[in-house]
Amino acid sequence: MDDNDDNTVLMPGTPASTSTKSIRLSYFQGDGQQQRTMAFSRAFTVGREESCDVSLQDNTISREHVRIYLEGTQWQFEDLKSTNGTYIDNQLILSGPVESRTVLQLGVDGPYILLEPPAPVQPPKEQPSDAVAEVARRYFEADGEAEAGEHTMLVRRAFKQAKKKHTQRYVAVISFVVVLLISSLSVVFYQRDQLAELKELTLSVFYDMKALEIQMAKIETNIDRNTELSLDANYPESRQLRVQLAEMELRYDTFLQKLGVFEKNMSEEERLILKMARVFGECEVDMPADFVAEVRRYIKKWQSTARLKKSIVRALDKGYPAIVKAAMLEYHLPPQFFYLALQESSFKAKTVGPPTRFGLAKGMWQFIPATARRYGLQTGPLLELPRYDPRDERFHFESATRAAARYLRDIYATEAQASGLLVVASYNLGENRVKELILQLPENPRERNFWALLKKYKIPKETYDYVFYIFSAAVIGENPGLFGFEFNNPLDLS
């Protein structure tokens, strides 16, 4: 590093020769080549915006990436919720003290900045009186009457000094213990604050991912409705958004690991429940405290009946899992929506639902007539009769499955705001009542999701049971043997 004063830029009013509080900052490229050195005596920000005190033009840096400030006599740094994070020795750090020659990396592959705070001023050491100290060592147990000679007075003085030092030592030990306790509590509070900041950052990344998914789903819905458009030709940024989403997912997984969400002592059952929450587009960090226990309750309901096993065996015999998986993946939806059809019809090909004011729901996906026609399915001449009709495309599993995937994708991108469990709730026969509640939530993924719906409203029992039966069946399906079922994961088609 070049320490030449010509490279040093001082803030106004901070002479280089007299400032005892100024901190030096050196900026390095990824290849280690130094670019510039500056000094600051007050708080300053580093980022990509020109309004930052230190503006670095690098795409890995956020507009306002990190803030360095003086707290008392200690310089501190704080990550400003940057997209790519701030690292020390490859470890994500949200905030902390600036020690001697602290190197911060802005983003995993971003540039480095070197921070050099001023050296602490060492207080002068006290020089004890050698003569008094020597007498204290020889006569510290001496005592006498009021009348004493000069030599005795000197001994007494020495004794008092020894006694005073003994008291000081005792006070020092007590003080040290108190300081140690305070320091320990400070560490606890600091770690708690760090975890709170990391959790908030994790939530921000997750719901940014959801917002990006909504954007991509709307693009793809537009393509789907206009056959003259080509996704690659007209929306090349869609593939870039998919790449960006994959990078955000990796960052989110890293934050989950640091938060210890999947602890080593966690049961495999709870691990699967958390995994399935993520699959259905809900945040593991933000779930209600009693959600895991509630899912376990519905798992026990499945264990008390043969319906799940019979439905899965029926679907496997007909090859339905492969058809559902292919359709859902084509529309970037989780294949676990397979269990929605299971709940609707138990995979019975000729299923006809009860009469409703919207008409008869038919087929394994239980489409009502209007929704079926909206998604390209022809209804048959027996439309108003509660009978199987081979001319009704709702009974054609492949066609109905593709229509269901498109319908689910549209709900996902609009009222459900990328919440898979809200999609399930909306698909239920009581969807109009549920939709009224959903649409009362703010239109953004962080405030409109299944967790938010449960916290704010009491949803109809029919819909509540519907969602939890589907979700718990999906959990069982990931590892049936763990829950005592004698069939393989129907969606594991490798």
Side-chain angles (χ1 to χ4, degrees), residues 78-276:
E78 173 190 16
D79 185 277
L80 300 177
K81 296 184 180 179
S82 63
T83 300
N84 293 315
T86 301
Y87 295 79
I88 296 179
D89 295 330
N90 295 322
Q91 296 294 317
L92 179 69
I93 305 293
L94 299 178
S95 62
V98 177
E99 307 294 350
S100 176
R101 296 178 66 82
T102 297
V103 177
L104 302 181
Q105 185 178 14
L106 309 184
V108 178
D109 300 315
Y112 297 85
I113 61 173
L114 169 64
L115 300 174
E116 297 177 279
V121 179
Q122 298 294 334
K125 295 183 179 179
E126 294 184 3
Q127 300 296 327
S129 169
D130 291 339
V132 175
E134 178 64 24
V135 172
R137 284 194 295 270
R138 293 176 58 190
Y139 300 104
F140 69 94
E141 293 182 350
D143 199 355
E145 300 298 332
E147 295 182 1
E150 182 179 349
H151 179 72
T152 302
M153 293 299 296
L154 183 60
V155 171
R156 289 180 179 175
R157 283 170 46 207
F159 174 74
K160 290 179 180 179
Q161 182 175 336
K163 188 176 181 181
K164 181 179 179 181
K165 285 187 176 180
H166 178 75
T167 303
Q168 288 175 339
R169 287 195 199 100
Y170 178 78
V171 172
V173 170
I174 296 298
S175 299
F176 175 76
V177 171
V178 171
V179 169
L180 189 62
L181 178 60
I182 293 173
S183 299
S184 300
L185 290 174
S186 298
V187 169
V188 170
F189 289 129
Y190 174 75
Q191 290 176 340
R192 186 189 65 181
D193 291 343
Q194 287 284 90
L195 284 175
E197 289 181 19
L198 182 57
K199 180 180 179 181
E200 179 60 32
L201 184 59
T202 303
L203 289 170
S204 296
V205 172
F206 181 86
Y207 290 114
D208 284 348
M209 286 163 48
K210 296 287 102 182
L212 191 59
E213 287 181 25
I214 294 169
Q215 182 181 351
M216 291 185 295
K218 288 180 177 178
I219 290 174
E220 290 157 4
T221 299
N222 188 35
I223 296 294
D224 188 44
R225 292 174 178 171
N226 191 337
T227 56
E228 296 181 359
L229 295 177
S230 164
L231 184 62
D232 290 336
N234 293 277
Y235 293 96
E237 72 272 19
S238 180
R239 284 183 298 176
Q240 296 176 357
L241 293 177
R242 288 278 168 205
V243 172
Q244 184 180 344
L245 178 62
E247 293 173 349
M248 293 173 72
E249 287 175 342
L250 288 175
R251 192 176 309 123
Y252 178 72
D253 287 337
T254 299
F255 291 161
L256 286 184
Q257 184 178 2
K258 290 183 179 297
L259 282 172
V261 172
F262 295 91
E263 298 176 356
K264 292 182 180 179
N265 60 351
M266 179 184 292
S267 70
E268 183 60 23
E269 184 178 306
E270 187 173 354
R271 194 181 302 275
L272 283 176
I273 293 172
L274 289 178
K275 174 186 174 183
M276 202 50 53

